[in-house]
Amino acid sequence: MAKDIRDLFDADNKRPNGTMPNNHEARFLCKLDNALPQEKQAKLSWIKIAASIVILLGITFGAFHYLNNQTQSVQVVDAGVPEDQTKTLGDISPDLKKVEDYYVAHINLELSKMKLTPGEQRVI
């Protein structure tokens, strides 16, 4: 049962190195087809296509919103209304008039507590 190691090395050296059997590629493809059935490959391709579509839609949606926000601009149009006739919240609704009065009263209260210098008085 024991073999001489020199005989094993000699047998190994007699084998041709670097050459493959003639039908190596065909046997490999046959084994590959048996390992991965076509059904799984088809399922994976549909998943890849669906994922690509979702990613493409997401990028398109994001780009649309990003570019839409970049191109929006505010245009000021002179409606011919003098400044002394500006509308307030009270002109829209009685409930909004209450809210406006509440905040105006608190702002006036805080302003009355401030010590005004000439620079601040100009700003206020």
Side-chain angles (χ1 to χ4, degrees):
M1 195 121 153
K3 293 185 179 181
D4 189 13
I5 194 162
R6 284 177 243 149
D7 293 336
L8 292 174
F9 280 125
D10 287 339
D12 189 50
N13 286 338
K14 290 178 185 175
R15 206 171 48 165
N17 290 335
T19 59
M20 308 235 26
N22 292 338
N23 60 353
H24 172 73
E25 186 177 354
R27 286 186 302 136
F28 174 75
L29 291 174
C30 182
K31 287 181 181 179
L32 186 63
D33 286 340
N34 290 336
L36 290 173
Q38 295 296 326
E39 180 181 311
K40 285 185 179 179
Q41 290 176 352
K43 184 178 180 182
L44 289 177
S45 66
W46 282 107
I47 291 173
K48 290 177 185 177
I49 291 171
S52 300
I53 290 171
V54 168
I55 290 171
L56 183 64
L57 288 175
I59 290 171
T60 305
F61 182 74
F64 175 74
H65 280 290
Y66 176 75
L67 294 175
N68 194 21
N69 287 340
Q70 294 292 328
T71 59
Q72 285 182 349
S73 62
V74 177
Q75 294 180 352
V76 178
V77 178
D78 184 16
V81 178
E83 288 184 29
D84 59 341
Q85 293 181 358
T86 56
K87 294 195 177 227
T88 62
L89 291 175
D91 296 334
I92 298 172
S93 165
D95 292 333
L96 293 177
K97 175 72 173 155
K98 291 179 186 176
V99 173
E100 181 184 17
D101 290 342
Y102 173 79
Y103 282 111
V104 168
H106 276 50
I107 290 171
N108 288 334
L109 178 65
E110 292 298 320
L111 287 175
S112 68
K113 292 179 183 178
M114 288 179 57
K115 294 181 181 178
L116 298 178
T117 62
E120 291 173 351
Q121 202 168 20
R122 234 180 324 136
V123 173
I124 294 174

